[in-house]
Amino acid sequence: MRRGSSTEIFHKYLTENEVDIPYDLFIEAYVPIARAQEKRAKEEGHREPDYRQRIEDVLNKLEIDDAVKHSHGAWSYYLRKWPEQTEFFPGVLEMLGELKKEYKLGVITNYMDGPTCREVFAKLRFDDIFDSLVVSHELGFMKPAGLLFKTAMRETGSVPESCVMVGDTYSADVVGGNLAGMKTVLVDIYDNQQDHYHDCSVVIWDINEFPEALLKLKSG
């Protein structure tokens, strides 16, 4: 799902349910509450935030009636969009099939709802592809917390020096992978994380470039 689309979806739910609040006012209330919640989560060892509660707090700040009911409705509405909109990038399924012939594969995801995540995994037949599926919501902590990386290594029978963490977010994927002792590949699909390239083992700009990056890591 496109980054930044969550607030648009929350607001669409509110509009469809006759909660009349301009989008710019919704964002004005949402951003500081989200940042404060994320700050607390980081201070607590990257604990998984309660995103539904975030929406309720925003609606209370805006003095919207039935904030609890609408927060649950908006959150459920948002989660239903994920199975509808999630699919592989072109070429990735074939790439994974080739990698699986030689390597153990795992997913470590910061995903805000376990059941929805598993529904998406089932749609994409992840159980047929990956040897480990680690979901932040199910463990109660988010990347870069070490628990997620240790869980993935335990489930794949791997050790840090034999692992490569691949992800598109420096603060979660590269920092977490580095702390776990893994090699790290940053997929900078938005071309906006240049300040962190020095912390990565390899940087690529398209996930389909990963096999070439892996060869570089093996030869280097």
Side-chain angles (χ1 to χ4, degrees), residues 5 7 12 19 21 26 35 51-52 65 78 88-89 92 99 102 119 123 131 154-155 180 202:
S5 64
T7 53
K12 182 178 180 182
V19 179
I21 183 74
F26 180 78
R35 287 177 176 170
Y51 299 99
R52 200 282 312 164
D65 292 336
Y78 172 68
F88 285 106
F89 285 107
V92 169
L99 291 171
E102 188 174 354
E119 185 178 349
K123 172 187 173 181
D131 302 286
R154 184 182 70 249
E155 292 183 353
V202 178

Side-chain angles (χ1 to χ4, degrees), residues 45-47 108 141-150 172 176 179:
H46 300 284
R47 188 174 295 277
I108 306 174
F141 290 88
M142 304 175 66
K143 295 179 291 184
L147 175 62
L148 286 79
F149 296 85
K150 291 176 182 176
L179 289 173

Side-chain angles (χ1 to χ4, degrees), residues 35-216:
R35 287 177 176 170
Q37 189 186 54
E38 290 164 1
K39 182 175 183 291
R40 289 194 302 272
K42 184 177 180 179
E43 292 170 348
E44 295 173 356
H46 300 284
R47 188 174 295 277
E48 182 87 16
D50 185 338
Y51 299 99
R52 200 282 312 164
Q53 183 64 53
R54 178 186 297 180
I55 303 171
E56 182 182 336
D57 292 345
V58 172
L59 297 181
N60 280 326
K61 183 175 181 178
L62 293 168
E63 300 181 342
I64 301 298
D65 292 336
D66 298 322
V68 174
K69 182 187 78 171
H70 286 308
S71 68
H72 281 282
W75 184 238
S76 297
Y77 182 79
Y78 172 68
L79 292 179
R80 288 197 298 271
K81 296 296 181 182
W82 279 93
E84 297 172 8
Q85 297 187 17
T86 306
E87 59 187 18
F88 285 106
F89 285 107
V92 169
L93 184 59
E94 294 79 6
M95 177 187 70
L96 292 171
E98 290 300 311
L99 291 171
K100 189 171 177 61
K101 295 175 183 178
E102 188 174 354
Y103 303 98
K104 291 182 178 179
L105 305 177
V107 170
I108 306 174
T109 177
N110 281 352
Y111 208 108
M112 73 300 291
D113 183 76
T116 302
C117 188
R118 295 290 170 177
E119 185 178 349
V120 171
F121 284 173
K123 172 187 173 181
L124 300 178
R125 298 183 64 183
F126 270 23
D127 285 324
D128 296 338
I129 301 169
F130 295 99
D131 302 286
S132 173
L133 301 169
V134 179
V135 183
S136 64
H137 183 263
E138 296 176 347
L139 296 183
F141 290 88
M142 304 175 66
K143 295 179 291 184
L147 175 62
L148 286 79
F149 296 85
K150 291 176 182 176
T151 300
M153 286 189 284
R154 184 182 70 249
E155 292 183 353
T156 56
S158 304
V159 293
E161 54 267 26
S162 70
C163 294
V164 179
M165 180 64 193
V166 188
D168 65 356
T169 306
Y170 168 78
S171 59
D173 302 311
V174 175
V175 171
N178 285 343
L179 289 173
M182 302 175 174
K183 295 180 177 63
T184 52
V185 176
L186 176 65
V187 189
D188 193 10
I189 59 176
Y190 299 103
D191 195 27
N192 61 0
Q193 301 180 79
Q194 291 91 341
D195 291 347
H196 304 298
Y197 286 2
H198 63 280
D199 287 334
C200 312
S201 303
V202 178
V203 177
I204 57 179
W205 290 265
D206 186 301
I207 186 59
N208 287 291
E209 298 170 1
F210 175 67
E212 183 178 345
L214 184 58
L215 289 175
K216 185 182 298 184

